[in-house]
Amino acid sequence: MWSLKRKIEREIKDDVQIKFQRYEQVTAELVNRLGLEKELEGHGGCVNCLEWNESGSILASGSDDLHVILWDPFKHKTISKVRTGHQGNIFSVKFLPHSNDSLMVTGAADHRINVHDLNRKETTHVFTYHLGRVKRIATAPNIPYIFWSAAEDGTIMQFDLRCTSTTTSAPNNILINLNAHMGQYAEAKCLAINPIRPEMLAVGANDPYVRVYDRRMLSCSSMQIPGDNVNRYPWDHPHLEDIEGEVYSLPPGCAQYYIAGHLPQKQQDYKKRYRTLASTYLTFGPDGSELLVNLGGEQIYLFDVNKKLRPRRFDLSVLGTNGIVKENLAPPTNGFSLHANGTNGVVKTSSSATRSSYSSASSSTAVDKASDRSVDLPNKRHKGEPKQLTPLVESLKKHANTLFEQEEYKRSIDVYNQAIARCNTSAVLYGNRAAAYLKRKWDGDLYAALRDCYLALTLDPHHMKAHFRLARCLFELAWSQEAFDCLNHFKHRFPDYAKSHACETLDRDIKAAIFSQTEAPGSKDHADHRPEDGMRHPSPRHESEQEKELQRNACDYSLRFCGHCNTTTDIKEANFFGSNGQYIVAGSDDGSFFIWDKNTTNIMRVMRGDESIVNCLQPHPSTCLLATSGIDPVVRLWSPRPEDGTQNEREVNNSDDAALANQKRMNADPLEVMLMNMGYRITGFLDVDEDEGNQSGGPANCRTT
């Protein structure tokens, strides 16, 4: 009995110690002191991938120079330089678990996967199964000998080193064949294994959907390497050919898709502006419940793989005939489960005077003020609304309101985020933040505002402003029929404001939009639009019925992080920083890397990490140490600097300006972006004070997204 008691006490003590270590590894104080520790020189080209060993004693880096360098990160010295045998840029490097850091796997643009014995200093396996560039290698903790690969031939392959065959014309290790579902232009861009639940495999492709599979329900199949592979033209999309009799469909229930709720329709708008949506990196969080995705051409998204949030895109069924919210949705624990982002901004209205009518409305009614000028409105308090905000939250709300009135919309959103993080049951805070999103109009802000309106109405069904803004969100998202229904609900619920200037103006514009959509030749309901990849392949995808069903049932995201730009390279990472994933880090096309507080989604720091583009960011497994790389042929190490008062020359002092410049960059003309990346400065584009570290960088030599 005494022995059992001591064991329990020891377990509790160890658990407390582990939790303490996880929280204290990376803290706000340490993040605020982060600075450049050392530049590791030795590569002769872009550094495309970084990987720590399990203990953090070795850092591996792969480069365009076809070498992998093993570094001692604490002595800042080269341990060894590995000749990989690749003939193309190295995009992924991984240590195999339980090999005492002696086995390393590399994947490259030459379509090959090589396994290296570091002790014997030789390449033991060369796999030539893939026909496209190998973009990512994934391993699972506690699973030796096995690894997985994602390549631009549209396949996910599984390799077991206990099966020694390395050459075949019909590889039989195809775990997932995206071509059978997405069509012949499918490309697998990235993949990750859940560290806590290794049966979960996440895949990012050249579309905005993120796919999570249960490996236990999958079995490997065979595909045929085409006989004319050698004679293919360089612009032909490489893909393995199906073998008659092989089944490439997915077992029911083995896959779950995720996507930001506004993107299935907004893909069409992005295509018109030559923006490709493709996942460039994804990773699971430390506890396995979260999936972080860096979506090229868009923002960074966090999905909760346990809660599976439903999108809010077209659903007005939550509103009854009297406009009262039917379902009783609990607010998120951190205030952000219905936070969203990612569209292209403003949808053109059918009336040229619409926007000016919102900003110049002369009526003194509450709805007119609700449209733009004011964010607060005295609502009757109902169940779910706190009787009184704490003094701190009330102060934050007033400060955010002041910033809103000063048209500082980005800053006002940041302050609302802080307030909601402290009080996630206030309908007023969600309603006010929705108003700020509607004014800022960054990529995805319209959808973010829509979700905030739903949350506000869930907390307070009588929140008049939230109801009116919901109709406006639907209209600006081009969901005109839903906007019409929502506004009718509003007029029925709040008849005193049905004749207000703002309400009548919105009503006219919605009806005009419905009429124009009805009269447009070949118009279809937006729910019937299927996503296409028109950037590189003008012909539409031929998706399987199973794929369409999985896309229809895709889950929405819980958080999003914006401020960076990801349109130029297709290997740009986003990662958790801190053993509990307290912070998010990602590189950007402007040569900076960003650090966000996950709780509030606000930017904490912006650091100058490369002369051109930061692609890779890999946190040390147990210390507040961050490794980054990009176009420059160096690896940079970042750690907390001494508090001696010296200036951090790598600090970008105005993160708001940096974020705004990146929004402009993402929405710029593709020719301007191309010229800028070649070293030309475009007058009027990204004219930011060079002292702030936001000037355009040098040429980018990596293939674009």
Side-chain angles (χ1 to χ4, degrees):
M1 182 68 180
W2 176 252
S3 177
L4 178 60
K5 182 179 179 181
R6 291 294 300 272
K7 287 182 178 179
I8 294 174
E9 289 176 349
R10 185 183 63 187
E11 290 295 327
I12 294 175
K13 181 179 178 181
D14 291 345
D15 184 58
V16 171
Q17 183 177 0
I18 291 172
K19 288 182 178 179
F20 177 80
Q21 291 173 343
R22 292 175 72 88
Y23 276 109
E24 294 302 315
Q25 176 194 339
V26 180
T27 64
E29 180 185 8
L30 295 177
V31 170
N32 287 327
R33 289 167 46 200
L34 205 66
L36 181 63
E37 175 182 306
K38 186 67 176 179
E39 291 184 349
L40 304 179
E41 300 179 351
H43 279 297
C46 304
V47 181
N48 304 318
C49 51
L50 300 170
E51 179 72 10
W52 296 96
N53 66 342
E54 185 177 1
S55 65
S57 61
I58 301 174
L59 175 65
S61 59
S63 170
D64 288 356
D65 64 9
L66 314 183
H67 288 82
V68 169
I69 295 181
L70 303 180
W71 308 90
D72 184 324
F74 302 109
K75 295 182 179 180
H76 306 151
K77 293 182 178 180
T78 300
I79 298 174
S80 64
K81 193 168 186 178
V82 181
R83 298 172 62 92
T84 63
H86 286 294
Q87 298 177 2
N89 303 354
I90 299 172
F91 288 119
S92 189
V93 57
K94 286 285 184 181
F95 291 99
L96 284 182
H98 298 289
S99 67
N100 294 323
D101 303 325
S102 64
L103 293 181
M104 182 180 70
V105 185
T106 55
D110 60 3
H111 313 168
R112 297 185 176 187
I113 296 172
N114 293 352
V115 181
H116 313 275
D117 189 319
L118 300 178
N119 291 336
R120 293 160 56 186
K121 297 182 178 181
E122 66 179 19
T123 300
T124 59
H125 298 76
V126 177
F127 297 99
T128 58
Y129 297 161
H130 281 297
L131 296 186
R133 299 192 305 171
V134 179
K135 301 310 295 291
R136 293 289 172 184
I137 304 292
T139 59
N142 302 320
I143 301 182
Y145 306 113
I146 299 177
F147 61 90
W148 297 264
S149 62
E152 290 177 338
D153 57 15
T155 63
I156 305 297
M157 294 190 182
Q158 177 173 289
F159 296 85
D160 189 336
L161 295 184
R162 292 167 295 186
C163 304
T164 57
S165 174
T166 59
T167 57
T168 177
S169 59
N172 60 351
N173 63 335
I174 312 296
L175 192 64
I176 301 167
N177 176 18
L178 294 178
N179 299 278
H181 309 286
M182 296 173 59
Q184 61 177 330
Y185 297 117
E187 296 180 0
K189 292 289 189 179
C190 48
L191 80 163
I193 297 289
N194 191 319
I196 306 302
R197 299 174 56 190
E199 72 275 7
M200 295 180 67
L201 183 149
V203 175
N206 56 329
D207 69 0
Y209 290 90
V210 178
R211 299 153 171 86
V212 177
Y213 302 91
D214 188 335
R215 291 191 301 107
R216 297 170 300 182
M217 303 177 68
L218 299 174
S219 57
C220 291
S221 57
S222 299
M223 294 187 73
Q224 183 73 41
I225 296 178
D228 62 343
N229 184 46
V230 178
N231 299 321
R232 285 177 177 268
Y233 293 106
W235 55 82
D236 284 345
H237 179 71
H239 62 274
L240 296 164
E241 296 179 348
D242 296 349
I243 294 179
E244 186 176 356
E246 281 282 7
V247 177
Y248 303 109
S249 61
L250 301 172
C254 86
Q256 176 63 60
Y257 284 21
Y258 297 86
I259 190 173
H262 61 284
L263 288 180
Q265 181 185 356
K266 283 300 173 184
Q267 285 186 92
Q268 308 304 318
D269 294 334
Y270 286 128
K271 282 177 19 178
K272 294 174 184 176
R273 293 181 295 142
Y274 300 99
R275 284 171 67 182
T276 301
L277 300 180
S279 299
T280 62
Y281 190 81
L282 47 77
T283 183
F284 286 96
D287 65 357
S289 67
E290 297 173 325
L291 180 62
L292 187 69
V293 180
N294 198 345
L295 184 61
E298 251 279 345
Q299 312 285 14
I300 296 171
Y301 293 101
L302 187 72
F303 299 94
D304 190 321
V305 297
N306 293 332
K307 292 185 178 178
K308 297 183 174 59
L309 300 174
R310 306 310 305 174
R312 286 293 190 181
R313 36 196 164 193
F314 313 127
D315 184 16
L316 281 181
S317 63
V318 295
L319 295 179
T321 55
N322 61 353
I324 297 179
V325 176
K326 283 183 177 180
E327 60 184 77
N328 182 23
L329 294 177
T333 55
N334 63 353
F336 290 93
S337 75
L338 290 186
H339 192 312
N341 221 335
T343 115
N344 63 349
V346 183
V347 178
K348 293 183 179 179
T349 64
S350 57
S351 170
S352 60
T354 300
R355 195 169 305 143
S356 62
S357 69
Y358 285 129
S359 59
S360 62
S362 59
S363 173
S364 61
T365 66
V367 174
D368 289 324
K369 291 182 179 179
S371 62
D372 273 335
R373 295 182 177 182
S374 170
V375 286
D376 267 336
L377 176 70
N379 285 298
K380 293 181 180 180
R381 300 195 182 278
H382 297 275
K383 186 177 180 180
E385 182 71 13
K387 292 182 179 180
Q388 186 176 4
L389 298 176
T390 65
L392 175 57
V393 174
E394 182 66 33
S395 175
L396 289 170
K397 187 191 78 169
K398 289 180 179 179
H399 180 42
N401 292 354
T402 300
L403 292 170
F404 180 92
E405 292 167 1
Q406 296 171 350
E407 299 184 356
E408 296 280 352
Y409 303 120
K410 195 271 179 186
R411 292 177 60 196
S412 70
I413 290 170
D414 288 347
V415 180
Y416 285 133
N417 289 345
Q418 295 177 41
I420 292 174
R422 290 169 171 82
C423 177
N424 63 356
T425 57
S426 171
V428 170
L429 291 176
Y430 288 111
N432 289 3
R433 190 173 65 179
Y437 280 135
L438 279 166
K439 293 297 293 181
R440 189 178 71 171
K441 288 185 170 71
W442 284 11
D443 284 357
D445 279 355
L446 295 176
Y447 186 64
L450 178 140
R451 296 175 65 166
D452 272 356
C453 289
Y454 272 118
L455 254 182
L457 290 171
T458 300
L459 293 165
D460 181 4
H462 301 275
H463 196 299
M464 184 184 70
K465 282 189 176 183
H467 199 151
F468 181 77
R469 289 172 184 146
L470 177 59
R472 184 177 164 191
C473 290
L474 291 165
F475 166 66
E476 296 210 41
L477 284 165
W479 299 337
S480 303
Q481 185 58 52
E482 290 80 358
F484 179 79
D485 295 339
C486 184
L487 192 61
N488 280 341
H489 280 296
F490 174 83
K491 291 187 288 186
H492 179 78
R493 184 76 182 108
F494 305 102
D496 292 344
Y497 304 108
K499 297 298 182 181
S500 67
H501 177 72
C503 188
E504 289 185 338
T505 300
L506 181 59
D507 186 56
R508 286 196 305 270
D509 291 327
I510 290 173
K511 290 176 179 177
I514 292 175
F515 178 79
S516 64
Q517 291 174 3
T518 304
E519 293 297 311
S523 63
K524 293 183 179 180
D525 183 82
H526 53 251
D528 293 331
H529 290 172
R530 303 309 309 163
E532 300 174 3
D533 180 9
M535 182 67 177
R536 294 177 56 195
H537 312 292
S539 58
R541 297 179 186 270
H542 298 286
E543 297 165 342
S544 67
E545 291 302 317
Q546 187 179 38
E547 175 73 9
K548 294 176 183 178
E549 180 65 20
L550 286 167
Q551 291 184 7
R552 281 192 291 268
N553 294 322
C555 294
D556 211 348
Y557 65 93
S558 57
L559 300 176
R560 66 101 189 245
F561 304 88
C562 54
H564 81 314
C565 179
N566 181 10
T567 60
T568 306
T569 56
D570 60 355
I571 56 173
K572 200 169 281 91
E573 299 178 348
N575 247 311
F576 294 93
F577 191 27
S579 295
N580 277 329
Q582 308 96 308
Y583 306 98
I584 304 297
V585 293
S588 178
D589 290 344
D590 64 350
S592 303
F593 69 87
F594 286 67
I595 306 176
W596 293 266
D597 174 36
K598 194 181 77 171
N599 187 38
T600 64
T601 72
N602 290 343
I603 298 171
M604 289 189 63
R605 300 285 303 282
V606 182
M607 307 293 293
R608 191 73 187 167
D610 195 274
E611 292 303 313
S612 184
I613 298 172
V614 177
N615 283 322
C616 305
L617 302 96
Q618 290 293 327
H620 189 276
S622 59
T623 303
C624 187
L625 180 65
L626 181 69
T628 69
S629 67
I631 303 302
D632 295 343
V634 299
V635 177
R636 292 184 170 92
L637 297 177
W638 307 80
S639 63
R641 308 311 301 147
E643 297 179 281
D644 55 7
T646 57
Q647 184 179 2
N648 189 340
E649 297 180 354
R650 290 278 176 170
E651 175 101 34
V652 177
N653 294 322
N654 195 325
S655 61
D656 290 346
D657 284 351
L660 178 59
N662 280 329
Q663 279 294 309
K664 293 180 179 179
R665 181 189 294 263
M666 282 204 294
N667 289 279
D669 182 272
L671 178 60
E672 291 183 353
V673 176
M674 181 185 70
L675 291 174
M676 184 187 62
N677 288 329
M678 292 172 61
Y680 295 94
R681 182 148 183 101
I682 308 300
T683 303
F685 176 58
L686 297 182
D687 287 332
V688 183
D689 185 359
E690 294 190 357
D691 292 337
E692 302 298 338
N694 294 324
Q695 66 271 26
S696 61
N701 299 318
C702 295
R703 171 177 161 182
T704 63
T705 303

